[in-house]
Amino acid sequence: MANMQGLVERLERAVSRLESLSAVSHRPPGDCGEVNGVSGGVAPSVEAFDKLMNSMVAEFLKNSRILAGDVETHEYQEDRNDLVISETELKQVAYIFKCEKSTLQIKGKVNSIIIDNCKKLGLVFDNVVGIVEVINSQDIQIQVMGRVPTISINKTEGCHIYLSEDALGCEIVSAKSSEMNILIPQDGDYREFPVPEQFKTAWDGSKLITEPAEIMA
């Protein structure tokens, strides 16, 4: 908490300096002084704000989110196959960011799961009441042990989803993604079904009709 308080104080001082810069922004470029390490120039207040967002503000928001207790984060993990979230609550959101060559297991029931900027990540979870989102990632494998209503895949290359018997009603929503496969349990094994990546659209006289395009041999 002491670190958090120090961060708040630093943030307040930086914002005060930014406000002072805005008050004198009518000065010519080069005569705006320096704010949080950013020298005067074209739109110095914008530069100062961007620097704040990329440093202490980002740190402040991250710490605030973790202290709130509703977001469970796993970030920058690599070559880890022992990641487990075992104590979960219905209101929790699991946020997985920039993890590589790792496996994460989430036990119990959570609100939602977000996989962001990950590579070669394996995720196994029991139940999700909201949505599982995969964003800007590569080579993701997801295994659903219980239920999940919706899985969203966006800007991702390679996503394989193993559904349980209880999750066969799950809706898969995809955009700007490739190499997506849904694996359905059948006779003690899984049968793989590719998610269409190409579509064709035609005018039927009153509206546009879009359907998956058949791959031509």
Side-chain angles (χ1 to χ4, degrees):
M1 292 302 294
N3 291 338
M4 188 66 175
Q5 182 61 35
L7 183 57
V8 171
E9 293 175 356
R10 286 167 50 208
L11 179 59
E12 290 175 346
R13 289 196 299 269
V15 169
S16 296
R17 293 199 300 270
L18 183 57
E19 290 174 345
S20 299
L21 175 63
S22 298
V24 297
S25 59
H26 61 279
R27 295 178 182 176
D31 190 31
C32 293
E34 184 176 291
V35 175
N36 201 38
V38 178
S39 299
V42 178
S45 59
V46 174
E47 291 180 341
F49 183 76
D50 288 342
K51 188 174 182 68
L52 283 172
M53 287 304 296
N54 290 329
S55 56
M56 63 176 63
V57 172
E59 185 181 354
F60 173 78
L61 292 175
K62 177 182 176 181
N63 287 347
S64 297
R65 181 178 62 188
I66 294 174
L67 290 174
D70 292 340
V71 178
E72 179 76 29
T73 63
H74 277 278
E75 301 177 334
Y76 301 103
Q77 301 292 328
E78 187 171 355
D79 292 318
R80 293 283 305 274
N81 295 312
D82 58 347
L83 301 175
V84 179
I85 301 177
S86 56
E87 297 181 5
T88 56
E89 298 180 7
L90 190 59
K91 64 180 181 179
Q92 274 186 318
V93 175
Y95 181 65
I96 309 158
F97 180 69
K98 282 197 173 181
C99 294
E100 294 188 23
K101 302 176 185 177
S102 299
T103 302
L104 170 65
Q105 181 180 6
I106 301 177
K107 299 180 179 180
K109 184 180 293 186
V110 296
N111 184 280
S112 59
I113 301 172
I114 301 170
I115 299 174
D116 186 4
N117 269 286
C118 294
K119 294 181 180 179
K120 297 184 178 181
L121 175 75
L123 170 67
V124 181
F125 67 87
D126 290 343
N127 295 283
V128 170
V129 298
I131 187 172
V132 174
E133 297 184 73
V134 183
I135 310 167
N136 295 320
S137 297
Q138 297 178 17
D139 196 7
I140 304 299
Q141 294 196 31
I142 298 174
Q143 182 167 6
V144 185
M145 305 302 294
R147 298 175 183 271
V148 57
T150 306
I151 297 177
S152 172
I153 309 169
N154 193 13
K155 296 180 181 180
T156 293
E157 297 178 6
C159 187
H160 306 274
I161 301 172
Y162 294 77
L163 295 179
S164 67
E165 292 284 355
D166 292 334
L168 294 181
C170 172
E171 294 184 346
I172 310 295
V173 180
S174 62
K176 299 179 181 180
S177 300
S178 61
E179 301 177 37
M180 300 170 289
N181 293 283
I182 310 302
L183 292 96
I184 305 297
Q186 290 187 357
D187 301 324
D189 202 351
Y190 286 92
R191 183 179 176 186
E192 186 176 278
F193 295 87
V195 176
E197 300 176 25
Q198 294 183 329
F199 301 87
K200 61 181 180 181
T201 301
W203 178 254
D204 72 348
S206 60
K207 61 182 180 300
L208 292 174
I209 301 296
T210 300
E211 59 185 17
E214 295 183 4
I215 299 177
M216 305 298 293

